[in-house]
Amino acid sequence: RASSDSLIFAIEEPELFLHPQAQRKMAQALQEIAVTPQHQVLICSHSSHFVDLEKYRSICIISKENPRDGTSVRQCSKDLFEGTTHQDRKKKFHAAHWINPDRGEMFFAKKVVFVEGETEKVIFPFLADKMGCFKHDVSIIDCGSKHNLPMYIAIANAFNLKHVVVHDEDPLPSTIPPDWNPDKIREKTKTFELNHEIATQINPDFGIALVITKDFEQAAGISLNQVDKKGKALAAVDFFGTKGVDEIPIELKSIVTEIYS
């Protein structure tokens, strides 16, 4: 129209024939075009490099589970960080973006599993493969810490993503150790109280929480000496590498089965 100066760029599969580094560069270029006045960019992609979780309002999941129900559209138009702790949550969210650049994968998965760190992200698929229940359409997302889990749950709820949240119980000892200063006591108490926040935030229509008794290392039976020497993830892989399925602790076996069910 003569009265309109709008430009709309509609691109299907912009990732074609591009290696990951070039995909990221293309995604950045398209975002720069999109913020130009009177410019709009619409892309259809199957690459997580074109999904910027920081711009969650621009993400639209279009799917068709079956012919009877037809095509469904899932999009978030609300502020996921509203409330009294708005700025703090936003800072943590932005920090998690740099820690975990592959988290956009959650929008392409049949089921998303949110875990506290790299140990669970590495060991759950490893155990699932050993147990013969591994599935490629289940994505495990390293959330950086237990304190970041509520942010990811909020996103899963906003997009109706089927999800499982796995975290340590982190119970407080019946007797506080004498070497714990007030700051450490507050930190441990806050971590334990997260259990209730996580449980109440999950929408039971789409998600469940699986709580590991005490913490992962104790549930797995991994020596703290090996953890200190090798790091949690490598110590876990080495520990379970030579073990048979029957030697996997029942609690972990149950969690892995539920994740990939």
Side-chain angles (χ1 to χ4, degrees):
R1 292 180 300 143
S3 61
S4 174
D5 293 323
S6 298
L7 291 175
I8 299 177
F9 297 81
I11 306 172
E12 186 174 6
E13 309 290 359
E15 67 270 19
L16 290 181
F17 311 111
L18 297 178
H19 51 69
Q21 293 82 359
Q23 289 184 39
R24 290 195 292 269
K25 189 173 182 179
M26 170 69 88
Q28 181 181 2
L30 292 176
Q31 288 174 4
E32 291 171 356
I33 293 174
V35 298
T36 304
Q38 297 181 316
H39 286 54
Q40 185 174 6
V41 177
L42 304 174
I43 68 170
C44 172
S45 176
H46 292 84
S47 170
S48 60
H49 292 293
F50 288 87
V51 178
D52 186 349
L53 199 47
E54 200 164 358
K55 297 179 177 60
Y56 57 86
R57 293 193 187 192
S58 69
I59 300 171
C60 184
I61 304 174
I62 300 177
S63 57
K64 186 176 182 180
E65 298 297 328
N66 58 70
R68 181 174 56 83
D69 295 333
T71 301
S72 65
V73 178
R74 288 172 284 169
Q75 191 170 15
C76 176
S77 58
K78 65 179 182 179
D79 186 353
L80 296 180
F81 304 104
E82 59 188 356
T84 56
T85 59
H86 174 92
Q87 291 301 326
D88 288 341
R89 293 184 70 188
K90 214 162 193 177
K91 286 178 182 177
K92 289 180 181 178
F93 182 75
H94 291 164
H97 170 73
W98 300 108
I99 295 171
N100 186 13
D102 66 348
R103 60 189 179 166
E105 183 180 320
M106 72 172 74
F107 295 98
F108 301 92
K110 292 291 185 183
K111 182 192 288 185
V112 187
V113 183
F114 299 124
V115 298
E116 295 186 30
E118 64 172 0
T119 304
E120 295 88 345
K121 180 178 174 63
V122 169
I123 206 64
F124 287 150
F126 181 82
L127 293 180
D129 186 59
K130 189 180 282 284
M131 292 165 57
C133 62
F134 177 78
K135 295 178 181 177
H136 289 284
D137 54 10
V138 175
S139 290
I140 298 184
I141 305 298
D142 172 3
C143 297
S145 80
K146 183 177 181 178
H147 294 273
N148 289 333
L149 290 174
M151 294 185 295
Y152 285 88
I153 296 170
I155 294 167
N157 288 340
F159 288 92
N160 296 348
L161 300 178
K162 187 176 181 181
H163 60 283
V164 177
V165 183
V166 184
H167 65 87
D168 295 343
E169 181 186 12
D170 297 313
L172 293 169
S174 55
T175 303
I176 301 298
D179 60 334
W180 282 20
N181 58 40
D183 288 340
K184 185 169 184 177
I185 294 174
R186 279 193 295 271
E187 178 190 347
K188 294 290 187 180
T189 301
K190 186 177 180 180
T191 301
F192 176 69
E193 290 175 347
L194 269 175
N195 296 337
H196 177 71
E197 181 181 350
I198 290 169
T200 55
Q201 188 171 339
I202 292 176
N203 183 338
D205 292 335
F206 304 104
I208 61 170
L210 302 177
V211 182
I212 299 175
T213 305
K214 294 185 178 179
D215 59 43
F216 179 85
E217 286 72 32
Q218 292 188 60
I222 301 173
S223 164
L224 292 180
N225 180 49
Q226 291 300 307
V227 170
D228 292 337
K229 184 186 299 184
K230 303 178 181 179
K232 291 183 179 181
L234 183 56
V237 171
D238 284 350
F239 180 77
F240 286 110
T242 57
K243 294 188 179 300
V245 174
D246 294 339
E247 297 177 277
I248 300 173
I250 294 176
E251 183 176 13
L252 290 188
K253 192 181 294 185
S254 175
I255 288 174
V256 171
T257 301
E258 182 64 41
I259 286 174
Y260 290 96
S261 64

